[in-house]
Amino acid sequence: MNEITVKIQQGEVKRYKDGYPLLTKDCLTNPEVLKKEGQILDVTDERGQFIGKGYHGEQNKGVGWIVSRKPGEKLNQDFIDRLILKAIGVRQGYYEDASTTAFRVFNGEGDGFGGVIIDYYERYYVIHWYSEGAYQFKEQFVDSLLRNSDAIGIYEKKRFAKAGQYVEDDDFVTGEQAPSPLVVFENNVSIAVDLNDGAMVGFFHDQREVRRAILEKHAKGRTVLNTFSYTGVFSVFAALGGSLKTVNVDAANRSKEKTAEQFAMNQLDAEDHDIIVDDAFQFLKRTERRGRTFGMVILDPPSFARTKKTTFSAKKDYKKLLLDAIAVTEENGIIVASMNHAGVAPQRFRKTVGEAFQEAGVPFRVLESFGLPSDFKTDPSFKEGMYLKVLILQRKDG
Ligand code: SAH
C-alpha cells in the first residue's frame, strides 16, 4: 500500500515530537486524506519535516496511531515481530510465575502499537482490535504470536463496531480451541474464563494487586458488599481471605450463575453468599434505609452506566456514590473505591474522595493506593492510558 502523508498543525508539533502517539483529527491540517483504515501514514509537520510513521484507524477520539519514530521504517512482519518479542521479554517474570497464569502481554501504545491489546490465559492469547485499521495488521500479529510465543490457541475481540462496541462473532482464530470454561490462576486463586462468549471473558486483570491486598490484608472478619460485582471475583478473594460473608450486586442477569461458578472453582459454597441482580445505586439506597451496614464496601462502577432507573457518570457522580457507600459502611469499615475513567486524574479522584467523607462528616484515612500493574505497560507521553485509580479507604471513627 502506498504511504500517504498527514501533517500536524504547527501548534501541536511539539507534543507529537515529544512522543504523543494518538493522531486526532483536529491536530491534522489535512485529515481529508484519511480515506482507508489501515493506510500507512507518514506523519510530518506543516513543512514536511518527519515526525513519525503510523496507521489510520478510527477509535474513540483518534483517527490513528504513530507507531515508529524512525524515518524509513517499514511497518512489516519484521517490525511487528520486534514489538511482540520485546513485549514478551519484559513480561518474563509473569511467564515464569506459575501462581498467575493470566496477564496482559501487549498493551497497545505502551508496547509501541496503539489500537492492539493482547491478553494471556494459560497459553491462549486473546487479541483485541480497537479499529478496523488495527485489524488490517491481523495476519502479522497472529503469525508473530504463533512463531514467537508459547501460544496453543488464539482468539480475538473486534472492538470496532459503532462507538467502539464489540462485533458479535465467533472469536476463535487459530490453533486449539480452549475449554469452556477455561480455568486460570491469579495468585493461586482459580478463575473461570470463557474466551468465546461475547465481549468479556469473565474477569479483568487490571485489579490483580487490589484483589491480592483484599485477600491478604483487608477481608478477614468483615462482611463484604461487592457492588458492580460482575462475576464476583473480588468476593472470591475476600472469601478466601477470611471474610464472614459477601453480598454481590450487579444489574446483569448472568452475574448470578457466573458468580456461583467462580465460588465453586475455589471450593467455596455459593449458598453462604448473596448474589443479587439489581441496580447497585438503588440497592445502596435501600440498604441505607434499612440501616444495614457492612465491614467492607467495594465500588467498581463502569465509567458510564445507564439502566431504566439511573444514569451514572463516574466523572460527575462518584461523590454521590461514595456518600451512599459511606452510609452503609460500619464504623472503622473499609471502602475499596475504584475509578477507571481516564479523564479523572489521580489527584482529582483523591479530592473527590476527601470531599465525600467531609460532606458525610466522617474522618478517614487512605490505607493503600493502586494504579495499573506492570503488565499494563503505559506510554509516559500518553497519560490517558493510565486509567486505573483504586483507593482502599478506612473510616476512622475512633
Ligand atoms: N467489579 C467487577 C467488574 C465490574 S464491570 C470485577 O471485579 O470483575 C462493571 C459491571 O457493572 C458490569 O458487570 C455491569 O453489569 C455492572 N453494572 C452496570 N451498571 C450497573 C448498575 N446500575 N447497577 C449494578 N451493576 C451495574
Side-chain angles (χ1 to χ4, degrees), residues 142-186:
V142 169
D143 186 68
S144 189
L145 284 177
L146 290 174
R147 279 182 294 104
N148 297 313
S149 79
D150 61 353
I152 52 173
I154 296 180
Y155 286 78
E156 68 182 357
K157 304 288 170 194
K158 289 177 272 186
R159 301 191 177 275
F160 49 74
K162 228 173 129 217
Q165 292 289 309
Y166 163 80
V167 181
E168 199 66 53
D169 207 345
D170 178 359
D171 291 339
F172 177 66
V173 177
T174 187
E176 273 175 35
Q177 304 246 12
S180 163
L182 170 70
V183 183
V184 297
F185 296 108
E186 181 183 279

Side-chain angles (χ1 to χ4, degrees), residues 104-298:
R104 181 150 293 183
V105 174
F106 193 92
N107 196 36
E109 68 288 345
D111 283 288
F113 202 101
V116 179
I117 279 174
I118 307 174
D119 286 331
Y120 180 89
Y121 302 93
E122 287 273 358
R123 302 190 66 192
Y124 293 95
Y125 287 69
V126 179
I127 313 179
H128 301 258
W129 311 104
Y130 283 87
S131 68
E132 271 188 78
Y135 193 60
Q136 304 310 309
F137 294 87
K138 173 170 171 175
E139 224 180 282
Q140 281 112 305
F141 275 96
V142 169
D143 186 68
S144 189
L145 284 177
L146 290 174
R147 279 182 294 104
N148 297 313
S149 79
D150 61 353
I152 52 173
I154 296 180
Y155 286 78
E156 68 182 357
K157 304 288 170 194
K158 289 177 272 186
R159 301 191 177 275
F160 49 74
K162 228 173 129 217
Q165 292 289 309
Y166 163 80
V167 181
E168 199 66 53
D169 207 345
D170 178 359
D171 291 339
F172 177 66
V173 177
T174 187
E176 273 175 35
Q177 304 246 12
S180 163
L182 170 70
V183 183
V184 297
F185 296 108
E186 181 183 279
N187 292 309
N188 287 321
V189 176
S190 301
I191 299 171
V193 298
D194 199 327
L195 305 187
N196 204 356
D197 185 29
M200 307 215 267
V201 309
F203 95 119
F204 297 96
H205 307 311
D206 55 2
Q207 302 273 10
R208 186 187 304 118
E209 290 169 359
V210 182
R211 287 190 282 262
R212 182 181 195 145
I214 288 175
L215 185 154
E216 289 178 354
K217 297 184 235 168
H218 306 299
K220 202 169 172 127
R222 295 185 186 275
T223 53
V224 177
L225 172 60
N226 182 7
T227 60
F228 309 93
S229 55
Y230 185 42
T231 61
V233 179
F234 275 127
S235 297
V236 169
F237 279 72
L240 293 171
S243 70
L244 299 177
K245 180 198 173 113
T246 74
V247 175
N248 301 273
V249 183
D250 196 286
N253 274 315
R254 293 189 61 207
S255 64
K256 215 164 179 148
E257 58 177 291
K258 291 284 178 189
T259 303
E261 181 183 36
Q262 302 293 13
F263 279 118
M265 285 293 142
N266 293 284
Q267 287 74 50
L268 295 163
D269 191 348
E271 298 287 310
D272 300 340
H273 301 266
D274 291 344
I275 309 171
I276 300 165
V277 177
D278 197 0
D279 179 290
F281 305 101
Q282 306 255 318
F283 184 89
L284 282 166
K285 287 283 182 215
R286 214 175 326 117
T287 305
E288 183 181 347
R289 279 199 300 274
R290 291 179 183 164
R292 185 175 177 196
T293 54
F294 292 86
M296 175 186 280
V297 177
I298 300 172

Side-chain angles (χ1 to χ4, degrees), residues 227-228 284 297-301 318 321-322 325 335-339:
T227 60
F228 309 93
L284 282 166
V297 177
I298 300 172
L299 303 173
D300 185 21
Y318 210 102
L321 177 62
L322 277 163
I335 295 177
V336 179
S338 169
M339 162 68 92

Side-chain angles (χ1 to χ4, degrees), residues 8-24 26-28 51 66 69 381-384:
I8 303 282
Q9 292 190 3
Q10 219 45 46
E12 303 288 344
V13 165
K14 185 174 180 319
R15 194 158 64 99
Y16 281 97
K17 281 200 170 155
D18 287 347
Y20 192 73
L22 179 66
L23 295 168
T24 52
D26 55 346
C27 291
L28 301 178
I51 295 175
I66 296 179
R69 301 281 167 174
S381 333
F382 192 66
K383 296 274 181 278
E384 299 95 305

